[in-house]
Amino acid sequence: MTWLITGGAGYIGAHVARAMTAAGERVVVVDNVTSGMPERLPADVALVRGSALDAELVRRVCDEHAVSGVVHLAAHKQVGESVERPELYYRDNLGGLATLLETVADAGVRRFVFSSSAAVYGNPDTGVIPESTPCAPVNPYGETKLAGEWLVRASGRAHGMATTCLRYFNVAGAAEPALADTGVFNVIPMVFDRLTRGEAPRIFGDDYPTPDGTCIRDYVHVADLAEAHLAAARRLARPGVSGDLTVNIGTGHGASVRELIDVIGEVTGIGTPAIVEPRRPGDAPRAVGATELAEKELGWTASRSVRDMIESAWAGWCLRHPEAAAH
């Protein structure tokens, strides 16, 4: 089999490409490299520069590389931006997915892994979130992921395509420093950024109904996430597998914002006390994913700790911000 990975030069995509090729899978990447970095990819992985929304390019890649499965990662993924530019998110995340599905189905592809998100759940009033939890996304990003799942399943039924939707929780860490996330959009790099600039980390609300009053989230190491994609792809490659599978990708355990900042202080050696600011609208007190289904269906469980994520993320941060290591 050859797997087409869209967005494969991105932070998550490069980890997936490396995990799959290290396991002996053949991979080709399509990435427009607006945020992706070609140097993240192994030298033997073919990179086709262009958009996964370009039907002609995708069809050519499918034909030239005999693609038999797709791992679709390319998407806009910033919640705040989705609120400001919903049209962009619906057009590219959902309209682009429709074009991709139609193109690869016409090319004879019958296996499809979709990068979804725990954002599809919104803010459910539950401690641990199983896949059966009613979905009620609270922003356009989450809406496009939920509608994307609907579309993937419908296309799968229409074309006899076996599909898997992976609902990621909070992704962090790096398999090696050069693969680290370069954005400052998630809590760990946001804390790194403030510490590097000599500013105190921020906690948005410390009066939630949790043990220390701060929000609890499920953090999954990106290397574990990449292994989940490999497991999903290999499951789809088995003879006789059909239909749709939708699973959470998390650890089943939560860490609070204050706990996270404390570990960051230990790892970095910069123990600047956090400041507490008002709650942000829409933040749930606790969001932790149930993982039993992923273990049962994929044979996958996360193995890396929050400290592993922070240590590896800090090594990647220092690689690009040498001034941080000087602290």
Side-chain angles (χ1 to χ4, degrees):
M1 286 189 64
T2 297
W3 289 90
L4 165 60
I5 303 178
T6 69
Y11 165 53
I12 293 174
H15 280 89
V16 173
R18 284 179 174 242
M20 293 185 71
T21 54
E25 301 291 339
R26 290 195 300 272
V27 164
V28 57
V29 166
V30 169
D31 197 302
N32 63 12
V33 300
T34 54
S35 59
M37 299 165 60
E39 60 270 24
R40 284 173 165 154
L41 291 170
D44 58 347
V45 170
L47 169 62
V48 179
R49 299 187 185 221
S51 172
L53 282 63
D54 183 338
E56 184 178 338
L57 179 143
V58 170
R59 180 56 192 253
R60 186 171 71 250
V61 170
C62 286
D63 291 343
E64 291 179 358
H65 293 268
V67 170
S68 46
V70 173
V71 178
H72 181 47
L73 297 159
H76 302 293
K77 61 178 184 177
Q78 301 306 325
V79 169
E81 183 184 52
S82 80
V83 173
E84 297 169 358
R85 306 181 67 189
E87 301 85 0
L88 171 69
Y89 275 64
Y90 272 85
R91 183 182 67 241
D92 289 0
N93 286 8
L94 199 52
L97 174 61
T99 299
L100 177 66
L101 283 164
E102 185 176 31
T103 303
V104 300
D106 287 347
V109 173
R110 294 296 178 262
R111 299 166 185 88
F112 197 96
V113 179
F114 177 58
S115 166
S116 189
S117 168
V120 301
Y121 295 118
N123 295 325
D125 186 17
T126 179
V128 176
I129 304 170
E131 289 83 355
S132 58
T133 303
C135 293
V138 296
N139 52 64
Y141 166 69
E143 291 166 2
T144 63
K145 286 299 185 181
L146 180 57
E149 289 186 8
W150 296 341
L151 180 56
V152 166
R153 296 184 195 114
S155 184
R157 290 191 296 270
H159 302 290
M161 184 186 299
T163 62
T164 299
C165 298
L166 302 180
R167 291 174 174 171
Y168 310 167
F169 279 74
N170 299 269
V171 184
E176 58 184 73
L179 298 183
D181 192 1
T182 58
V184 188
F185 303 109
N186 300 315
V187 60
I188 292 175
M190 287 173 69
V191 173
F192 290 168
D193 182 55
R194 291 185 69 84
L195 292 176
T196 300
R197 291 189 280 115
E199 299 176 2
R202 295 185 295 176
I203 294 174
F204 295 99
D206 65 350
D207 57 350
Y208 286 93
T210 61
D212 66 14
T214 66
C215 292
I216 292 173
R217 294 291 183 267
D218 191 338
Y219 297 93
V220 59
H221 197 296
V222 67
D224 282 328
L225 178 68
E227 290 165 6
H229 284 79
L230 172 63
R234 288 193 157 170
R235 176 186 175 275
L236 288 178
R238 292 183 209 144
V241 172
S242 62
D244 170 74
L245 175 67
T246 299
V247 295
N248 291 334
I249 302 298
T251 66
H253 305 286
S256 75
V257 175
R258 193 174 291 282
E259 288 171 336
L260 205 69
I261 290 174
D262 286 347
V263 177
I264 290 173
E266 293 170 8
V267 168
T268 63
I270 310 172
T272 306
I275 56 174
V276 178
E277 298 188 357
R279 291 186 182 191
R280 294 180 302 188
D283 276 349
R286 179 182 174 91
V288 176
T291 60
E292 293 81 3
L293 190 60
E295 184 173 3
K296 175 186 174 184
E297 296 291 343
L298 302 181
W300 173 89
T301 55
S303 63
R304 296 163 178 89
S305 69
V306 167
R307 182 174 286 271
D308 292 334
M309 296 176 217
I310 292 170
E311 288 177 346
S312 61
W314 180 243
W317 180 267
C318 290
L319 180 66
R320 292 186 171 84
H321 302 85
E323 70 277 17
H327 285 281

